[in-house]
Amino acid sequence: MGYGTKELSEAKSGDSFDLLGPIGTGFPLDAAQDKKQIILTGGGIGAPPLLQLARALRRTGIGKDSITAVLGYRSMKSGLFLNEEFSAEVNVILSTDDGSVGTRGTVVDALKERDLKPDIIYACGPLPMLKAVKDFAADSFIPAFISLEERMACGMGVCLGCMVKTAGRDSHSHVNNARICTEGPVFNAEEVVL
Ligand code: FES
């Protein structure tokens, strides 16, 4: 996608990088405690963070039966990225654009097809998917946490290059904006305007 990913893709075992982190917010694990049906929805580059979330939730003592990952892919042909790793941790439901496996359509189509009524949703993936998950959660009065993505220059809240519109005004500068790198990347879905 760019200079950073190119450099990472060419890294060899033993190479070293300077990293700054953790920065920003993570998925709140406490929001899932005592919930019977926890849904993780994602696709593409949203899948790896959700796998880590699945493992973190399991480590808090939540059973496999209470967590379902709804994963969206293009097609069986292009591969089911991390499907096996998710299956080791949680229940898995699939959707594909072409219907070659699972529900034909989006992750929200898969949720609706099964008439699932989650107690909480965590989502990470492309913006159209996050928007659909946000709308689905709002329509069904389900708490949802979504991880947004933006190109980031500083990553520390200084350059204001990663803004997202928010429903409320911030108390400091009284604008309807938040920095994805600092107030996010994980937001309560109802707090942001997509
Ligand atoms: S990347 Fe600079 S403020 Fe977020």
Side-chain angles (χ1 to χ4, degrees), residues 103-155:
T103 301
R104 178 193 290 268
T106 67
V107 291
V108 171
D109 293 328
L111 284 170
K112 288 180 177 168
E113 186 176 83
R114 286 166 180 77
D115 200 23
L116 292 175
K117 299 275 188 282
D119 298 307
I120 186 167
I121 300 175
Y122 296 99
C124 187
L127 190 59
M129 188 212 81
L130 294 180
K131 190 170 176 352
V133 169
K134 172 179 158 60
D135 292 345
F136 171 80
D139 290 346
S140 311
F141 305 101
I142 300 166
F145 294 89
I146 58 179
S147 182
L148 299 182
E149 177 155 302
E150 186 51 87
R151 298 196 88 153
M152 295 178 187
C154 73

Coordinates of all heavy atoms in Angstrom, one line a residue, residues 103-155:
T103 N -22.7 -17.3 4.0 CA -23.8 -16.4 3.4 C -23.3 -15.6 2.2 O -22.2 -15.1 2.3 CB -24.2 -15.4 4.5 OG1 -24.7 -16.2 5.6 CG2 -25.3 -14.5 4.0
R104 N -24.1 -15.5 1.2 CA -23.7 -14.6 0.1 C -24.0 -13.2 0.5 O -25.2 -12.9 0.8 CB -24.5 -15.0 -1.2 CG -24.2 -14.0 -2.4 CD -25.2 -14.2 -3.5 NE -25.0 -15.4 -4.1 CZ -24.3 -15.7 -5.2 NH1 -23.6 -14.6 -5.8 NH2 -24.2 -16.8 -5.8
G105 N -23.0 -12.4 0.6 CA -23.2 -11.0 0.9 C -22.2 -10.6 2.0 O -21.1 -11.0 2.1
T106 N -22.7 -9.7 2.9 CA -21.8 -9.1 3.9 C -21.9 -9.8 5.2 O -22.8 -10.6 5.4 CB -22.2 -7.6 4.1 OG1 -23.5 -7.6 4.7 CG2 -22.2 -6.8 2.8
V107 N -21.1 -9.3 6.2 CA -21.2 -9.9 7.5 C -22.5 -9.5 8.1 O -23.1 -10.3 8.9 CB -20.0 -9.4 8.4 CG1 -18.7 -10.0 7.9 CG2 -20.0 -7.9 8.4
V108 N -23.1 -8.4 7.8 CA -24.4 -8.0 8.4 C -25.5 -8.9 7.8 O -26.4 -9.3 8.5 CB -24.7 -6.5 8.1 CG1 -26.1 -6.2 8.5 CG2 -23.7 -5.7 8.9
D109 N -25.4 -9.2 6.5 CA -26.3 -10.2 5.9 C -26.2 -11.5 6.6 O -27.3 -12.2 6.8 CB -26.0 -10.4 4.4 CG -26.2 -9.2 3.5 OD1 -27.1 -8.4 3.9 OD2 -25.5 -9.0 2.6
A110 N -25.0 -12.0 7.0 CA -24.9 -13.2 7.7 C -25.5 -13.2 9.1 O -26.2 -14.1 9.5 CB -23.4 -13.6 7.9
L111 N -25.4 -12.0 9.7 CA -26.0 -11.8 11.1 C -27.6 -11.9 10.9 O -28.3 -12.6 11.7 CB -25.7 -10.5 11.6 CG -24.3 -10.3 12.3 CD1 -24.0 -8.9 12.6 CD2 -24.2 -11.2 13.5
K112 N -28.1 -11.2 9.9 CA -29.5 -11.2 9.7 C -30.1 -12.5 9.3 O -31.1 -12.9 9.7 CB -29.9 -10.1 8.6 CG -29.7 -8.7 9.1 CD -30.0 -7.7 8.1 CE -29.9 -6.3 8.6 NZ -30.0 -5.3 7.5
E113 N -29.3 -13.2 8.4 CA -29.8 -14.5 7.9 C -30.0 -15.5 9.1 O -30.9 -16.3 9.1 CB -28.8 -15.1 6.9 CG -29.2 -16.4 6.3 CD -28.2 -16.9 5.2 OE1 -27.2 -17.5 5.6 OE2 -28.4 -16.5 4.1
R114 N -29.1 -15.4 10.1 CA -29.3 -16.3 11.2 C -30.1 -15.7 12.3 O -30.2 -16.3 13.4 CB -27.9 -16.7 11.7 CG -27.2 -17.6 10.8 CD -25.7 -17.7 11.1 NE -25.1 -18.7 10.3 CZ -24.7 -18.4 9.0 NH1 -25.0 -17.3 8.5 NH2 -24.2 -19.3 8.2
D115 N -30.6 -14.6 12.1 CA -31.4 -13.9 13.1 C -30.7 -13.8 14.5 O -31.3 -14.0 15.5 CB -32.8 -14.6 13.3 CG -33.8 -13.7 13.9 OD1 -33.7 -12.4 13.8 OD2 -34.8 -14.2 14.5
L116 N -29.4 -13.5 14.4 CA -28.6 -13.4 15.6 C -29.0 -12.1 16.4 O -29.1 -11.1 15.7 CB -27.1 -13.5 15.3 CG -26.6 -14.8 14.8 CD1 -25.2 -14.7 14.4 CD2 -26.8 -15.9 15.8
K117 N -29.1 -12.2 17.7 CA -29.4 -11.0 18.5 C -28.2 -10.9 19.5 O -28.3 -11.3 20.7 CB -30.7 -11.2 19.2 CG -31.9 -11.4 18.3 CD -32.4 -10.0 17.9 CE -33.7 -10.1 17.2 NZ -33.6 -10.5 15.8
P118 N -27.1 -10.4 19.1 CA -25.9 -10.3 20.0 C -26.2 -9.3 21.1 O -27.0 -8.4 21.1 CB -24.8 -9.7 19.1 CG -25.4 -9.6 17.7 CD -26.8 -9.8 17.8
D119 N -25.5 -9.6 22.2 CA -25.5 -8.6 23.4 C -24.5 -7.5 23.2 O -24.6 -6.5 23.8 CB -25.2 -9.4 24.7 CG -26.2 -10.5 25.0 OD1 -27.4 -10.1 25.0 OD2 -25.8 -11.6 25.1
I120 N -23.5 -7.8 22.3 CA -22.4 -6.8 22.1 C -21.7 -7.2 20.8 O -21.6 -8.4 20.4 CB -21.4 -6.7 23.2 CG1 -20.4 -5.5 23.0 CG2 -20.7 -8.0 23.5 CD1 -19.6 -5.2 24.3
I121 N -21.3 -6.1 20.0 CA -20.6 -6.4 18.8 C -19.2 -5.6 18.8 O -19.2 -4.4 19.2 CB -21.4 -5.9 17.6 CG1 -22.7 -6.6 17.5 CG2 -20.6 -6.1 16.3 CD1 -23.6 -6.1 16.4
Y122 N -18.2 -6.3 18.4 CA -16.9 -5.6 18.2 C -16.6 -5.8 16.7 O -16.8 -6.8 16.1 CB -15.8 -6.3 18.9 CG -15.9 -6.2 20.4 CD1 -16.4 -7.3 21.1 CD2 -15.4 -5.1 21.1 CE1 -16.4 -7.3 22.5 CE2 -15.5 -5.1 22.5 CZ -16.0 -6.2 23.2 OH -16.0 -6.2 24.6
A123 N -16.1 -4.7 16.0 CA -15.9 -4.8 14.6 C -14.6 -4.1 14.2 O -14.2 -3.1 14.8 CB -17.1 -4.1 13.8
C124 N -14.0 -4.6 13.1 CA -12.8 -4.1 12.6 C -12.7 -4.5 11.1 O -12.9 -5.7 10.8 CB -11.6 -4.6 13.3 SG -10.0 -3.8 12.9
G125 N -12.6 -3.5 10.2 CA -12.5 -3.9 8.8 C -12.7 -2.6 8.0 O -12.6 -1.5 8.4
P126 N -13.1 -2.8 6.7 CA -13.3 -1.7 5.8 C -14.4 -0.8 6.2 O -15.4 -1.2 6.9 CB -13.6 -2.4 4.4 CG -13.4 -3.8 4.6 CD -13.3 -4.1 6.1
L127 N -14.3 0.5 5.9 CA -15.3 1.5 6.3 C -16.8 1.1 6.0 O -17.6 1.3 6.8 CB -14.9 2.9 5.8 CG -15.7 4.0 6.4 CD1 -15.5 4.1 7.9 CD2 -15.3 5.3 5.7
P128 N -17.1 0.7 4.7 CA -18.5 0.4 4.4 C -19.0 -0.7 5.4 O -20.2 -0.7 5.8 CB -18.4 -0.1 3.0 CG -17.2 0.5 2.4 CD -16.2 0.5 3.5
M129 N -18.2 -1.7 5.7 CA -18.6 -2.7 6.6 C -18.8 -2.2 8.0 O -19.9 -2.5 8.7 CB -17.5 -3.8 6.7 CG -18.0 -5.0 7.5 SD -16.6 -5.8 8.4 CE -16.5 -4.8 9.8
L130 N -18.0 -1.3 8.5 CA -18.1 -0.7 9.8 C -19.4 0.2 9.9 O -20.1 0.2 10.9 CB -16.9 0.2 10.2 CG -15.6 -0.5 10.3 CD1 -14.5 0.4 10.7 CD2 -15.7 -1.6 11.4
K131 N -19.7 0.9 8.8 CA -20.9 1.7 8.7 C -22.1 0.8 8.8 O -23.1 1.1 9.5 CB -20.9 2.5 7.4 CG -22.0 3.5 7.3 CD -21.7 4.4 6.1 CE -22.9 5.4 5.9 NZ -24.0 5.3 6.8
A132 N -22.1 -0.4 8.0 CA -23.2 -1.3 8.1 C -23.4 -1.9 9.5 O -24.6 -2.1 9.9 CB -23.0 -2.4 7.0
V133 N -22.3 -2.2 10.1 CA -22.4 -2.8 11.5 C -22.9 -1.7 12.4 O -23.8 -2.1 13.3 CB -21.0 -3.3 11.9 CG1 -21.0 -3.6 13.4 CG2 -20.6 -4.5 11.1
K134 N -22.5 -0.5 12.3 CA -22.9 0.6 13.2 C -24.5 0.7 13.0 O -25.2 0.8 14.0 CB -22.2 1.9 12.8 CG -22.7 3.1 13.5 CD -21.9 4.3 13.0 CE -22.6 5.6 13.2 NZ -23.0 6.0 14.5
D135 N -24.9 0.8 11.8 CA -26.4 0.9 11.5 C -27.2 -0.3 12.1 O -28.2 -0.1 12.7 CB -26.6 1.1 10.0 CG -26.1 2.4 9.5 OD1 -25.8 3.3 10.3 OD2 -26.0 2.5 8.3
F136 N -26.7 -1.5 11.8 CA -27.3 -2.7 12.4 C -27.4 -2.6 13.9 O -28.5 -2.9 14.5 CB -26.6 -3.9 11.9 CG -27.0 -5.2 12.5 CD1 -28.2 -5.8 12.0 CD2 -26.4 -5.8 13.6 CE1 -28.6 -7.0 12.6 CE2 -26.8 -6.9 14.2 CZ -27.9 -7.6 13.7
A137 N -26.3 -2.2 14.5 CA -26.3 -2.2 16.0 C -27.3 -1.1 16.5 O -28.0 -1.4 17.5 CB -24.9 -1.9 16.5
A138 N -27.3 0.0 15.8 CA -28.2 1.1 16.3 C -29.7 0.7 16.1 O -30.5 0.9 17.0 CB -27.9 2.4 15.5
D139 N -30.0 0.1 15.0 CA -31.4 -0.4 14.7 C -31.8 -1.4 15.8 O -33.0 -1.5 16.1 CB -31.5 -1.0 13.3 CG -31.4 0.1 12.3 OD1 -31.4 1.3 12.6 OD2 -31.2 -0.3 11.1
S140 N -30.9 -2.2 16.3 CA -31.2 -3.3 17.2 C -30.9 -3.0 18.6 O -31.0 -3.8 19.5 CB -30.5 -4.6 16.8 OG -30.6 -4.8 15.4
F141 N -30.5 -1.7 18.9 CA -30.1 -1.3 20.2 C -29.0 -2.2 20.9 O -29.1 -2.6 22.0 CB -31.4 -1.2 21.1 CG -32.4 -0.4 20.6 CD1 -33.5 -0.9 19.9 CD2 -32.3 1.0 20.7 CE1 -34.5 -0.1 19.4 CE2 -33.3 1.8 20.1 CZ -34.4 1.3 19.5
I142 N -28.0 -2.5 20.1 CA -26.9 -3.4 20.5 C -25.7 -2.5 20.7 O -25.3 -1.8 19.8 CB -26.6 -4.5 19.5 CG1 -27.8 -5.4 19.3 CG2 -25.4 -5.3 20.0 CD1 -27.7 -6.3 18.1
P143 N -25.0 -2.6 21.9 CA -23.8 -1.8 22.0 C -22.7 -2.3 21.1 O -22.6 -3.6 20.9 CB -23.4 -2.1 23.5 CG -24.3 -3.1 24.1 CD -25.4 -3.3 23.1
A144 N -22.0 -1.4 20.4 CA -21.0 -1.8 19.4 C -19.8 -1.0 19.6 O -19.9 0.2 19.8 CB -21.6 -1.7 18.0
F145 N -18.6 -1.6 19.4 CA -17.4 -0.9 19.4 C -16.7 -1.2 18.1 O -16.5 -2.4 17.7 CB -16.5 -1.4 20.6 CG -17.1 -1.0 21.9 CD1 -18.0 -1.8 22.5 CD2 -16.8 0.2 22.5 CE1 -18.6 -1.5 23.8 CE2 -17.3 0.6 23.7 CZ -18.2 -0.2 24.3
I146 N -16.3 -0.1 17.4 CA -15.7 -0.3 16.0 C -14.3 0.3 16.0 O -14.0 1.4 16.7 CB -16.6 0.3 15.0 CG1 -16.8 1.8 15.2 CG2 -17.9 -0.4 14.9 CD1 -17.6 2.5 14.1
S147 N -13.4 -0.3 15.3 CA -12.0 0.2 15.2 C -11.9 0.9 13.8 O -12.0 0.2 12.8 CB -11.0 -1.0 15.3 OG -9.7 -0.5 15.3
L148 N -11.6 2.1 13.9 CA -11.5 2.9 12.6 C -10.1 3.0 12.2 O -9.1 2.8 13.0 CB -12.0 4.3 12.8 CG -13.5 4.5 13.2 CD1 -13.8 5.9 13.4 CD2 -14.4 3.8 12.2
E149 N -9.9 3.2 10.9 CA -8.6 3.3 10.3 C -8.4 4.6 9.5 O -9.4 5.1 8.9 CB -8.4 2.1 9.4 CG -7.0 2.2 8.7 CD -6.6 0.8 8.3 OE1 -6.5 -0.1 9.2 OE2 -6.3 0.6 7.2
E150 N -7.3 5.1 9.6 CA -7.0 6.3 8.8 C -5.5 6.4 8.6 O -4.7 5.9 9.4 CB -7.5 7.6 9.6 CG -7.4 8.9 8.8 CD -8.0 8.8 7.5 OE1 -9.2 9.1 7.3 OE2 -7.2 8.6 6.5
R151 N -5.0 7.0 7.5 CA -3.6 7.2 7.4 C -3.1 8.2 8.5 O -3.8 9.2 8.7 CB -3.3 7.8 6.0 CG -3.7 6.9 4.9 CD -3.0 7.2 3.7 NE -1.7 6.6 3.6 CZ -1.1 6.2 2.5 NH1 -1.7 6.5 1.3 NH2 0.1 5.6 2.5
M152 N -2.1 7.9 9.1 CA -1.6 8.7 10.3 C -0.2 9.2 10.1 O 0.7 8.4 9.8 CB -1.7 7.8 11.6 CG -3.1 7.4 11.9 SD -3.2 6.4 13.3 CE -5.0 6.0 13.3
A153 N 0.0 10.5 10.3 CA 1.3 11.1 10.2 C 2.1 11.0 11.5 O 3.2 10.5 11.5 CB 1.2 12.5 9.7
C154 N 1.4 11.5 12.6 CA 2.2 11.5 13.8 C 1.8 10.4 14.8 O 2.7 9.9 15.5 CB 2.0 12.9 14.5 SG 0.3 13.0 15.3
G155 N 0.5 10.0 14.8 CA 0.1 8.9 15.7 C 0.0 9.3 17.1 O -0.3 8.5 18.0

